[in-house]
Amino acid sequence: MSLQELSMIFFFAFLIFLAIVAYLSSKQKVAGVSADVEYYLGGHSTPTVVLAFSYVTSSISAACFMGDPGIMSTVGWPYYWVVIAIVPGLIIPAVLLMPKMRKQAEKLGSLTIPEYLGDRYNSPALRLIIAGVISVFYIFPLVAQFKGAAVLLESFTGISFNMGLAIMTVVIIFYVIVGGLRSVAWTDFVQGLPMLVISIGLLLVSLNAVGGFSGLEEKLSQIDPNMLRVVQDEAPDAQMSLSGVLGNFVFWCVIFISQPYLCSRFLAIPNVKRRTIGIFLITSLILSIIYNSFYIAGLTGRVLFPNVQADYLTVTMAINLLPTAVAAFMMVGIFAAMMSTATSVLLVIGQAIGRDFYSKTINKNASPEKEVLVTRIVIVVVGLICFAFNYVNPPEFLSVVLYLGLSGIGSCIGVPLFAAIISKKSTKEGAIVSSIVGPIAYMIFNYGVGFNFWFAGLLAIVVAAACMIGISFIINKKRKSIVVETAEA
Amino acid sequence: METWQIMLGFQALTACISLGVVLNFMFSKDTLDNEELEKQEADKLSVETSQHLTY
């Protein structure tokens, strides 16, 4: 059987399997739980390990399997700082955020991240700002995932770009509207398994082909000795100079973990026991180490296929190094990676509009059932918008729009989120200003001043944090003096 | 020392630190109670009261 035929069979078998998983998981409703808690948080009854899979697989989009190994193949070992930082970035801040966010959100009755921050700071304006930013900026990464999936389908199965786009749209909308977070988490869990096999399999095969790590080192030194550096020199086009490395840690530890499609998993864990949170985090730790080690395949690919375009490197490796059936299976794995991110992001946009805008602002008397219905309608509409964007004019520079979306949202939410947990003195005024200043500062530093992507994120967080500290200090001082004056009067 | 040893060493280091933080959290004897939240709400209430007093 040809690669195309096998890919087609595997792909449709995978979709049917996922549809069954999504349907069955949507039937596991918990008695006595309202429709909105059930849809947005899986009724707090999704198994911890499944949630951990969902947390990690949502964090690694197609970039982990195609884009980033491609960048590794041109930058070399310095780009591995991403992997060094992403593992603690997903785990250490979660130890701080997870128990407190879960407890506070339950106490306040918050089901979404904008709602949680709005309630925590007692500010509907903050809730609307964050929900608005989510609704706008998340469209970019979503459009990128849709396009990536359609391109992948076209190259493996021969299905035309537009047909692949239509399939992706229908499938994603189906999985999200069927059962909300529970369905998304279970399908993420099932999708995570082929991704795991691919990560380990292709990495080991390609490492063996280049003669292990020492052979890889020797061959890379012949191609370009700069690929063996630990950090790059400071230069306008340098990805991982010292400033890039520092910014890289801030990006994963603050900006990335603040993404609502990731940290909303914290609100969904079954309980706030140390053992439950520990199991979630240790599972996430192991998975993130395995998945992200796949970046090394970018280096082995550079040695084995030096003339292949960066983004197509891992696909080329799979086709040439693995048996045909396994290569077809890899296509399913990459498609799964795109889907797990896309379903999580689509659910978060639906929540932002359905709950934070509609139910909490426009129609405050809406029943949970009506709120979920509006959320489902929004999910269908947003899915169709992404389809239309790609159908009419697919964006060329996907990585740019992808990172614009993630950094815009992370620099908006990061400081208010961490301040809500760390400091009792943080005020709503500080939170509102930092949520507006953060994304603006990021764009100025990145596109205006020309700092590298990572360092621009670091500076944006510093500026947003300075706004939060400064404004909160002034407001608290003012309030204190008013209390004293009132007491004296 | 070769570059791969340095980079994988850093990866192992950050992974071990992360594991240490999680295990420390997991086996800590402190209880995860609601004291802090109650304190926060009391603070919020006092701020709201002070705002109310100004009107």
Side-chain angles (χ1 to χ4, degrees):
Chain A
M1 255 189 197
S2 70
L3 176 68
Q4 205 174 58
E5 288 166 338
L6 272 172
S7 299
M8 194 83 93
I9 292 168
F10 279 14
F11 175 67
F12 283 106
F14 183 65
L15 289 188
I16 292 166
F17 181 58
L18 279 189
I20 295 167
V21 170
Y23 178 75
L24 291 178
S25 61
S26 71
K27 293 288 162 199
Q28 297 176 333
K29 285 178 183 162
V30 183
V33 173
S34 66
D36 48 359
V37 176
E38 176 62 41
Y39 189 77
Y40 295 142
L41 300 178
H44 289 305
S45 64
T46 311
T48 309
V49 173
V50 174
L51 274 178
F53 254 91
S54 180
Y55 177 59
V56 178
T57 54
S58 301
S59 76
I60 46 167
S61 63
C64 178
F65 290 96
M66 293 170 83
D68 284 328
I71 300 174
M72 269 296 273
S73 74
T74 55
V75 175
W77 276 110
Y79 199 70
Y80 204 64
W81 282 105
V82 169
V83 180
I84 295 168
I86 193 171
V87 174
L90 282 174
I91 305 301
I92 295 175
V95 173
L96 178 73
L97 296 174
M98 208 169 168
K100 290 191 177 180
M101 276 176 73
R102 169 69 167 79
K103 273 195 300 184
Q104 289 181 0
E106 190 170 16
K107 191 95 177 172
L108 296 165
S110 318
L111 303 184
T112 67
I113 299 300
E115 186 184 10
Y116 163 67
L117 288 172
D119 291 345
R120 163 63 183 82
Y121 287 105
N122 197 20
S123 169
L126 181 66
R127 186 188 72 234
L128 292 177
I129 289 170
I130 293 173
V133 169
I134 287 172
S135 310
V136 174
F137 278 82
Y138 266 163
I139 296 286
F140 299 123
L142 208 49
V143 168
Q145 300 299 323
F146 274 58
K147 186 190 171 183
V151 169
L152 186 76
L153 276 183
E154 190 174 29
S155 43
F156 266 87
T157 62
I159 296 172
S160 71
F161 178 83
N162 286 338
M163 180 55 79
L165 203 58
I167 292 171
M168 175 80 176
T169 308
V170 171
V171 166
I172 284 182
I173 288 174
F174 171 76
Y175 293 141
V176 182
I177 64 170
V178 162
L181 182 75
R182 191 199 305 279
S183 162
V184 168
W186 272 103
T187 49
D188 283 353
F189 175 69
V190 174
Q191 288 160 4
L193 297 175
M195 288 153 72
L196 203 65
V197 175
I198 290 159
S199 305
I200 300 168
L202 189 56
L203 183 58
L204 292 180
V205 169
S206 64
L207 262 176
N208 186 45
V210 296
F213 279 108
S214 295
L216 175 66
E217 191 101 348
E218 192 188 319
K219 281 158 190 146
L220 284 177
S221 69
Q222 291 163 6
I223 295 170
D224 180 3
N226 284 328
M227 293 180 78
L228 296 179
R229 298 183 64 137
V230 174
V231 291
Q232 295 175 298
D233 289 330
E234 290 288 348
D237 60 339
Q239 286 266 355
M240 281 296 164
S241 56
L242 195 56
S243 64
V245 172
L246 291 174
N248 168 54
F249 275 92
V250 173
F251 179 85
W252 298 111
C253 291
V254 181
I255 293 178
F256 192 63
I257 201 169
S258 306
Q259 301 298 323
Y261 74 91
L262 293 178
C263 62
S264 58
R265 301 290 181 275
F266 300 166
L267 307 186
I269 50 165
N271 55 58
V272 203
K273 289 178 183 161
R274 287 185 184 276
R275 189 171 172 275
T276 307
I277 295 172
I279 289 170
F280 178 97
L281 292 174
I282 288 176
T283 310
S284 303
L285 177 69
I286 294 167
L287 291 175
S288 57
I289 291 171
I290 296 173
Y291 285 132
N292 290 296
S293 296
F294 187 71
Y295 279 45
I296 297 171
L299 299 178
T300 54
R302 176 70 187 268
V303 172
L304 296 169
F305 305 98
N307 300 320
V308 173
Q309 205 184 328
D311 280 350
Y312 295 93
L313 193 59
T314 49
V315 174
T316 309
M317 287 167 72
I319 292 170
N320 288 284
L321 296 177
L322 300 175
T324 311
V326 182
F329 193 63
M330 174 170 176
M331 185 280 294
V332 172
I334 299 175
F335 187 83
M338 291 168 182
M339 269 192 54
S340 62
T341 305
T343 50
S344 299
V345 172
L346 193 55
L347 181 63
V348 165
I349 298 176
Q351 289 171 344
I353 299 174
R355 184 167 179 88
D356 298 313
F357 276 112
Y358 176 73
S359 170
K360 289 280 165 183
T361 311
I362 298 167
N363 181 7
K364 289 183 179 172
N365 297 321
S367 65
E369 287 75 17
K370 192 162 188 189
E371 180 188 311
V372 171
L373 177 67
V374 172
T375 303
R376 285 184 163 129
I377 293 168
V378 169
I379 286 165
V380 174
V381 172
V382 173
L384 293 175
I385 289 172
C386 292
F387 173 82
F389 260 119
N390 280 303
Y391 187 82
V392 175
N393 186 19
E396 274 187 56
F397 304 103
L398 285 183
S399 59
V400 175
V401 291
L402 183 84
Y403 283 124
L404 177 70
L406 294 185
S407 302
I409 293 170
S411 52
C412 168
I413 299 177
V415 171
L417 182 66
F418 276 82
I421 300 297
I422 294 167
S423 170
K424 290 167 195 155
K425 291 180 179 171
S426 52
T427 62
K428 69 176 174 187
E429 292 82 0
I432 289 171
V433 173
S434 67
S435 69
I436 295 169
V437 168
I440 295 172
Y442 167 73
M443 281 192 240
I444 291 172
F445 287 126
N446 193 196
Y447 299 106
V449 183
F451 285 125
N452 69 49
F453 162 75
W454 309 103
F455 195 56
L458 183 153
L459 293 177
I461 291 296
V462 169
V463 171
C467 289
M468 170 63 98
I469 294 166
I471 291 169
S472 296
F473 178 76
I474 294 166
I475 296 285
N476 285 329
K477 202 175 171 186
K478 205 174 161 189
R479 282 179 185 160
K480 224 174 190 178
S481 66
I482 291 169
V483 172
V484 171
E485 280 169 21
T486 314
E488 283 173 357
Chain B
M1 201 178 232
E2 291 183 294
T3 313
W4 70 269
Q5 291 169 326
I6 298 169
M7 300 310 272
L8 293 187
F10 274 121
Q11 188 187 4
L13 180 69
T14 55
C16 286
I17 292 170
S18 305
L19 182 63
V21 171
V22 175
L23 291 176
N24 180 52
F25 169 82
M26 223 173 148
F27 296 107
S28 170
K29 296 286 175 200
D30 298 340
T31 52
L32 286 170
D33 54 28
N34 286 328
E35 273 177 21
E36 277 177 335
L37 184 65
E38 281 159 12
K39 231 178 182 180
Q40 243 169 35
E41 282 182 345
D43 287 350
K44 208 165 94 179
L45 196 68
S46 72
V47 169
E48 279 166 7
T49 312
S50 67
Q51 278 178 320
H52 185 68
L53 283 170
T54 60
Y55 295 113

